[in-house]
Amino acid sequence: MIAAQDRKIAIWNIGVAYIAFLIGTLCGLLQVFIRNDALQLPAWLDYYQILTAHGVLLALIYTAFFIFGFFVTGMSKTLGTFGPKVWLFSWIGFWVTLIGTVMATVMIVIGEASVLYTFYAPLKASGWYYVGLALYVVGTWISSFALIGHYLVWRKKHKGEMSPLFAFMTIATLVLWLIACLGVVATVLFQYIPWAFGWTDTINVELSRSLFWYFGHPLVYFWLLPAYMAWYLIVPKLLGVKVFSDSLARLSFVLFILFSIPVGFHHQLTEPGISNFWKFLQVVLTFMVIVPSLMTAFSMFATFETSGRKKGAKGLFGWFKMLPWKDVRFTSIFIAMAFFIPGGAGGIINASFQLNEVVHNTLWIVGHFHITVGTPVAMTFMGMTFWLIPYLTGRQFTKSMQTLGFVQIITWTIGMLLMSTAQHILGLLGAPRRTAYSAYNNHPSALEWFDGIVTSHVTMAIGGSILFLSAMILIYIVVMTMFLSPKAVKPEDIIEFPLAESDRESSPKFLENWKIWIGIAFALIFIAYAIPLSSMIQHAPPGSEGFKTW
Ligand code: HAS
């Protein structure tokens, strides 16, 4: 077990993550009913307020705090107990992130920031909302630098050695995060805050959106990579084998640093003001960022196959039966992976320049992110929660908890299948996103959207309710394993951190030469963004004043 002082940081991070998860999923439940016209909100509560809270609390807050909880635990386990400076900065990072989170959440709750998690200008929230967001980012930076410091100390002491795979992957994810945040920091500090406090009258909308998406796309890999860490490092351990290839795993993370950032325009393909050439260039780079996910899929199948063969499996798919289905830690992650097959395929559709015309800003995209971040990432985090909290608290993950864990992941799977399939179909039929329920003056086309069996109001509501039930079961498991389950005393009750071995010394040293990768990443960012961004500044259209539409 890791040192108590490091465990405490991890537990607090995970605790905050699950408070955000609880409120965020409740907002999700309300949303499904409102969007189906089955619920009328009281006058003091607004649909967009709930939608903003849902997006911010689940996509930004739950993920970030959980990820840091996981990183702190794994870095302490693989590189040793934190020194006093790393410990101090991890706490400072945690508190600053939390203060930012609370500020932003309060602004949403009091109705001063119903601008959704993408906070597109010219919608204008209270200036304090943007200050909250800025503090959130600064806090995560402080936590990131603390972990990077811990890694540098280890490297100094282990000159010439490859770092453990967990540490390498953590640093790669943090490097990606630090570079990605530059965009959002620039727009929040230099555009939104002066505008929202009235120091400037107008905002350059195109520039603000482009800087947001410079950040917004790598943001999704900041969520995905910790899930991939579990796929690469935890799954083989549960299967009783080593990591399939240490160098393949490292290379795939390096490719994410290179290609996940200069691609933000694929979220703006329908926007005027950016020439087709730059959009096309970023579409090509988007197709490059698919490669490391395909490498990951390959590596997973190889891991399943190796473990199956080891257990005597025969034939092409014999390994399938040999997988440890009764272990909820594994089954949860396997379902998460399976969801990512259609999730990733949907991403490829979105990224295809012409097809994007069909799906952009429709409910299809909402379906897409529920089967990327909402299941592959979230369900991997759920599967990790089952052992991570008991590992940190020294409590048991009892048999009844294991059974409840299965109920939880199965209900999540059913709920998500119903809801996301409906969203994909509704999107193809033309139903828009980012809007509250509207029948468009009872226009026949709009009414037809909800005529299908899967797309009916009833099915959607059932899907959403099942998801909420599942979330509540998870909260129950979290509370039990955090505070109430019996302490693990007998060796068989003690929960370990299931970390697979990897042949790190077989990997080429240049994979850990960060200067090369960060240098290439900046060169690609420069190529993809320098000219279009400078032209947005030089040929800036008249800016927009702010609008409060709620
Ligand atoms: Fe996306 C919009 C393109 C991946 C999240 N995406 C979004 C939004 C979110 C999001 C939140 O190009 C909405 C933003 C908003 O509010 O406007 N996305 C992609 C592409 C990928 C992709 C090309 N997205 C993700 C991931 C996300 C995420 C991951 C969260 C974690 N996305 C887009 C585009 C848009 C977009 C456009 C803008 C649309 C618009 O017009 O607004 C790729 O990274 C996907 C590559 C993935 C694969 C899948 C590999 C499969 C694996 C599983 C193997 C399974 C195994 C199990 C081993 C190629 C690794 C075996 C199981 C058996 C059953 C046999």
Side-chain angles (χ1 to χ4, degrees):
M1 202 192 264
I2 61 170
Q5 54 152 40
D6 299 353
R7 261 188 288 148
K8 204 167 170 187
I9 308 173
I11 291 176
W12 273 81
N13 272 287
I14 295 172
V16 173
Y18 275 104
I19 294 172
F21 181 81
L22 174 66
I23 310 172
T25 45
L26 180 64
C27 294
L29 178 74
L30 293 178
Q31 230 160 270
V32 179
F33 282 101
I34 304 164
R35 239 191 164 285
N36 288 336
D37 199 23
L39 182 77
Q40 285 286 329
L41 283 179
W44 50 269
L45 199 59
D46 180 50
Y47 171 78
Y48 295 101
Q49 200 176 349
I50 292 178
L51 184 56
T52 309
H54 176 66
V56 169
L57 288 169
L58 290 180
L60 298 179
I61 312 299
Y62 168 64
T63 49
F65 279 97
F66 187 88
I67 289 168
F68 277 103
F70 177 50
F71 283 175
V72 165
T73 315
M75 289 293 267
S76 173
K77 179 165 173 66
T78 53
L79 303 187
T81 303
F82 290 180
K85 272 194 200 147
V86 175
W87 178 84
L88 179 68
F89 280 97
S90 296
W91 274 117
I92 296 177
F94 167 80
W95 284 109
V96 175
T97 316
L98 187 59
I99 292 169
T101 300
V102 172
M103 270 176 87
T105 312
V106 168
M107 288 301 130
I108 300 170
V109 170
I110 63 173
E112 287 297 328
S114 301
V115 289
L116 312 193
Y117 90 111
T118 41
F119 57 92
Y120 273 3
L123 289 178
K124 185 155 108 178
S126 152
W128 296 109
Y129 176 71
Y130 304 112
V131 173
L133 289 182
L135 284 176
Y136 160 87
V137 173
V138 171
T140 62
W141 276 9
I142 298 173
S143 301
S144 304
F145 282 120
L147 292 172
I148 292 173
H150 189 49
Y151 166 80
L152 291 178
V153 171
W154 184 92
R155 282 198 78 178
K156 239 190 199 158
K157 285 193 198 141
H158 299 80
K159 282 222 159 66
E161 262 183 62
M162 272 319 242
S163 64
L165 190 51
F166 187 99
F168 176 91
M169 290 174 152
T170 301
I171 299 303
T173 312
L174 295 177
V175 165
L176 182 154
W177 177 245
L178 293 172
I179 304 179
C181 286
L182 295 173
V184 75
V185 165
T187 184
V188 166
L189 284 191
F190 300 117
Q191 292 193 279
Y192 282 96
I193 290 183
W195 175 63
F197 282 114
W199 306 328
T200 52
D201 296 330
T202 59
I203 190 165
N204 180 338
V205 172
E206 186 76 79
L207 181 65
S208 72
R209 287 193 190 184
S210 302
L211 288 171
F212 176 83
W213 284 119
Y214 163 99
F215 155 81
H217 195 72
L219 167 69
V220 314
Y221 298 111
F222 173 67
W223 304 328
L224 182 70
L225 294 193
Y228 273 7
M229 287 168 70
W231 298 11
Y232 276 110
L233 285 160
I234 314 292
V235 167
K237 178 73 180 177
L238 300 176
L239 298 181
V241 290
K242 283 186 181 178
V243 173
F244 168 68
S245 160
D246 185 273
S247 45
L248 181 148
R250 283 178 206 252
L251 180 63
S252 79
F253 271 58
V254 163
L255 292 179
F256 277 115
I257 297 180
L258 302 189
F259 294 113
S260 68
I261 300 162
V263 297
F265 285 167
H266 72 221
H267 291 264
Q268 298 172 277
L269 292 177
T270 57
E271 270 184 40
I274 305 167
S275 85
N276 279 348
F277 174 80
W278 298 110
K279 288 179 181 170
F280 183 71
L281 179 80
Q282 296 211 10
V283 161
V284 173
L285 290 170
T286 305
F287 275 78
M288 296 297 291
V289 80
I290 294 166
V291 174
S293 281
L294 294 175
M295 286 164 61
T296 305
F298 171 79
S299 190
M300 289 306 111
F301 280 110
T303 306
F304 298 154
E305 172 103 32
T306 318
S307 100
R309 296 270 172 253
K310 211 172 136 191
K311 292 171 193 158
K314 300 247 158 28
L316 204 52
F317 296 109
W319 51 266
F320 192 81
K321 281 186 279 175
M322 303 289 183
L323 296 173
W325 297 113
K326 288 191 182 145
D327 185 344
V328 72
R329 298 171 303 171
F330 169 77
T331 309
S332 52
I333 296 190
F334 187 89
I335 299 174
M337 289 175 182
F339 263 96
F340 200 37
I341 296 177
I348 296 172
I349 291 171
N350 301 344
S352 307
F353 210 154
Q354 298 87 337
L355 290 179
N356 186 270
E357 294 285 321
V358 181
V359 295
H360 178 67
N361 259 348
T362 69
L363 273 179
W364 165 282
I365 305 297
V366 183
H368 166 68
F369 64 65
H370 281 100
I371 56 167
T372 46
V373 64
T375 313
V377 171
M379 206 193 279
T380 302
F381 289 1
M382 291 164 186
M384 283 155 65
T385 302
F386 298 145
W387 56 262
L388 187 54
I389 300 183
Y391 172 75
L392 291 168
T393 56
R395 294 185 185 274
Q396 292 180 28
F397 187 61
T398 55
K399 277 236 165 66
S400 56
M401 283 294 141
Q402 165 107 263
T403 315
L404 263 185
F406 270 109
V407 177
Q408 194 264 313
I409 58 164
I410 289 165
T411 42
W412 193 267
T413 304
I414 297 170
M416 211 39 113
L417 272 178
L418 288 176
M419 196 181 78
S420 69
T421 312
Q423 288 167 338
H424 276 94
I425 298 174
L426 282 165
L428 286 182
L429 295 173
R433 66 178 286 214
R434 295 193 166 113
T435 64
Y437 178 76
S438 166
Y440 298 88
N441 277 335
N442 287 336
H443 192 283
S445 304
L447 295 177
E448 264 174 32
W449 294 334
F450 294 94
D451 274 351
I453 299 172
V454 180
T455 56
S456 77
H457 290 301
V458 179
T459 319
M460 292 263 283
I462 293 175
S465 310
I466 296 177
L467 279 172
F468 183 67
L469 171 78
S470 175
M472 290 309 102
I473 299 174
L474 183 63
I475 292 291
Y476 176 76
I477 296 175
V478 168
V479 172
M480 288 302 288
T481 48
M482 211 167 252
F483 306 108
L484 300 170
S485 272
K487 282 273 178 193
V489 186
K490 287 191 236 145
E492 65 270 22
D493 290 336
I494 294 173
I495 303 286
E496 284 302 326
F497 190 123
L499 202 57
E501 276 178 44
S502 73
D503 288 327
R504 58 179 148 134
E505 288 313 327
S506 67
S507 288
K509 292 269 182 301
F510 70 87
L511 283 175
E512 198 151 2
N513 188 338
W514 299 107
K515 282 188 199 132
I516 307 179
W517 308 125
I518 295 174
I520 301 178
F522 274 113
L524 285 171
I525 291 168
F526 185 79
I527 293 169
Y529 271 117
I531 295 180
L533 285 189
S534 61
S535 114
M536 276 174 214
I537 296 167
Q538 271 175 0
H539 310 291
S544 173
E545 58 185 62
F547 290 89
K548 192 175 169 186
T549 51
W550 62 95

